[in-house]
Amino acid sequence: MNISIFYYTGTGNSLWVARQTAETLGDASVHAMTEWLRTRPPIDAESIGLVFPVYIWGVPAPVMRFIAALPDLNGRYIFAFATNGGQVSNTLVQLEKLMAGRSLKLSAGFDITMPSNYIPWGGPGPKQVQEQRFQAARAKIAAK
């Protein structure tokens, strides 16, 4: 099965998750949502992955634009990873509703806790905590 994973990232956490997922799945390619929006090549993959950060407890605007621009994907399996610093909130429900508005179905959605990028709440934390989060993320990706 071939898989296309589309990511949006601001600091690199979501890109890391997209690459880890592609490596774990094997037959997967990784693409930036912003690049796809510029060129809009056909999406021929049997399964589609979406990886993006949680912004203010929701789906970032660039991801909303990506969803709005997607073609009819003919019932293909679509999964998502929402990276976050510990609070995914209602983000995956919001994504599911956005997709349903385009007649797309979110087949599976998962949150991945990564080192936080939000400095006012303490930032990424000590190196030991960061490494624990990376190890937990690897394990969660491998289990899905």
Side-chain angles (χ1 to χ4, degrees):
M1 172 186 306
N2 66 337
I3 303 163
S4 286
I5 300 172
F6 294 91
Y7 72 90
Y8 172 72
T9 194
T11 62
N13 279 343
S14 294
L15 174 58
W16 183 89
V17 169
R19 287 177 175 164
Q20 290 291 315
T21 304
E23 183 179 313
T24 299
L25 295 173
D27 189 16
S29 57
V30 177
H31 313 276
M33 289 181 189
T34 52
E35 180 61 27
W36 184 88
L37 280 167
R38 277 195 293 277
T39 60
R40 299 192 190 206
I43 300 174
D44 297 325
E46 297 170 35
S47 293
I48 312 298
L50 308 173
V51 183
F52 60 90
V54 173
Y55 276 15
I56 315 172
W57 300 286
V59 177
V63 178
M64 290 182 195
R65 286 191 293 276
F66 178 80
I67 297 299
L70 283 173
D72 179 7
L73 296 173
N74 299 320
R76 285 180 251 183
Y77 187 86
I78 303 173
F79 64 93
F81 285 115
T83 64
N84 62 87
Q87 296 182 2
V88 74
S89 189
N90 207 35
T91 303
L92 292 166
V93 173
Q94 180 189 12
L95 176 67
E96 185 175 39
K97 289 178 182 177
L98 286 167
M99 291 175 62
R102 297 280 336 285
S103 299
L104 300 169
K105 183 180 184 308
L106 181 62
S107 303
F110 309 96
D111 71 291
I112 300 286
T113 302
M114 298 292 287
S116 177
N117 296 311
Y118 192 61
I119 302 304
W121 285 355
K127 289 281 187 197
Q128 181 181 5
V129 172
Q130 291 178 48
E131 190 53 42
Q132 289 171 347
R133 287 190 170 186
F134 286 128
Q135 291 298 334
R138 282 185 189 97
K140 192 169 192 176
I141 291 165
K144 304 302 175 198

